Amino acid sequence: MRIAVFASGNGSNVEAIIQASLEGRLDAEIACLFCDNPHAYVIERAIEHNIPFFVCAPQQCETREKWEGFILSFLETHQVDWIVLAGFMRIIGQPLLNRFPNRILNIHPSLLPAFPGKNSIKEAFDAKATHTGVTVHYVDNGIDTGPVIAQEEVAIQDGWDLETLEEAIHQIEHRLYPEIIQQVTKKECAYS
Ligand code: GRF
């Protein structure tokens, strides 16, 4: 099983996925990274782990179709079976969805459908929600709208500030995402 990770920023989830693969908790190879942001720290992580990467912002391409075409060629070169989004801040278009049907996963820091889009942790905190959490879901062409695979709840404790909540969410993400990737990719393997 060969996985491409897509990320736009820090890449702590990418790191957790790489570690799970290195430690044998995830029975898949992290074949490559696609990144849309040339300044993202996740690129350093790919270099450190010798993972091939391709960086390209849609603005660098004449059309969105061309951008997705470049991404598809990169994925073909690396013989990718699955795409795992980990902090990737772009909508996935139809060419990628058609090429990887039900094989693109995303992690989102809220209990979807609550707080979709950006800044979900802060929005839950500012709304004084008593609970929030983490969702892993299949990707469709909407913003955080695909079918939910797994959710884990966080009860927001009195006295927590935004950073405490962010830490609690990220801790869950780093454990949950590799676990779910393992389950989903294995299940698919058993059926095919
Ligand atoms: C995570 O909270 C993830 O759920 C969301 O974006 C954030 C990415 O963080 N989609 P990192 O880049 O993995 O550190």
Side-chain angles (χ1 to χ4, degrees):
M1 205 56 84
R2 294 174 60 78
I3 291 175
V5 284
F6 282 29
S8 304
N10 174 26
S12 68
N13 279 282
V14 167
E15 186 72 41
I17 294 164
I18 294 169
Q19 287 305 332
S21 167
L22 292 174
E23 291 164 20
R25 286 178 285 121
L26 173 58
D27 195 7
E29 185 176 340
I30 311 311
C32 56
L33 163 76
F34 175 69
C35 179
D36 62 319
N37 169 13
H39 308 291
Y41 183 66
V42 70
I43 298 166
E44 305 300 319
R45 299 184 192 268
I47 293 168
E48 191 170 321
H49 291 288
N50 261 315
I51 292 173
F53 62 89
F54 173 45
V55 184
C56 183
Q59 301 89 305
Q60 293 174 258
C61 306
E62 282 164 40
T63 62
R64 177 136 187 144
E65 287 67 36
K66 283 196 177 164
W67 181 63
E68 292 216 9
F70 287 133
I71 300 173
L72 276 169
S73 324
F74 173 68
L75 299 179
E76 293 303 334
T77 305
H78 293 283
Q79 300 181 312
V80 164
D81 303 300
W82 285 81
I83 298 175
V84 166
L85 310 185
F88 186 65
M89 307 307 277
R90 307 268 178 189
I91 291 180
I92 297 294
Q94 217 51 52
L96 279 164
L97 290 169
N98 291 345
R99 172 63 187 78
F100 294 91
N102 291 320
R103 281 183 171 237
I104 308 180
L105 306 178
N106 184 38
I107 189 158
H108 184 78
S110 77
L111 296 175
L112 291 171
F115 306 112
K118 292 178 187 170
N119 302 319
S120 313
I121 306 177
K122 184 169 186 314
E123 281 179 16
F125 185 79
D126 290 347
K128 303 201 185 327
T130 55
H131 290 76
T132 183
V134 173
T135 302
V136 179
H137 64 96
Y138 287 106
V139 171
D140 63 12
N141 57 9
I143 299 178
D144 305 320
T145 47
V148 169
I149 302 167
Q151 292 190 307
E152 203 164 305
E153 202 174 275
V154 176
I156 304 176
Q157 310 290 325
D158 288 344
W160 278 14
D161 59 14
L162 179 59
E163 279 85 67
T164 323
L165 178 59
E166 282 170 348
E167 252 172 55
I169 295 266
H170 292 315
Q171 246 182 38
I172 291 177
E173 288 186 331
H174 297 161
R175 175 184 47 75
L176 184 69
Y177 208 12
E179 274 175 23
I180 300 301
I181 297 166
Q182 169 71 2
Q183 281 172 24
V184 172
T185 54
K186 281 286 119 181
K187 195 154 93 192
E188 173 85 4
C189 232
Y191 291 149
S192 55

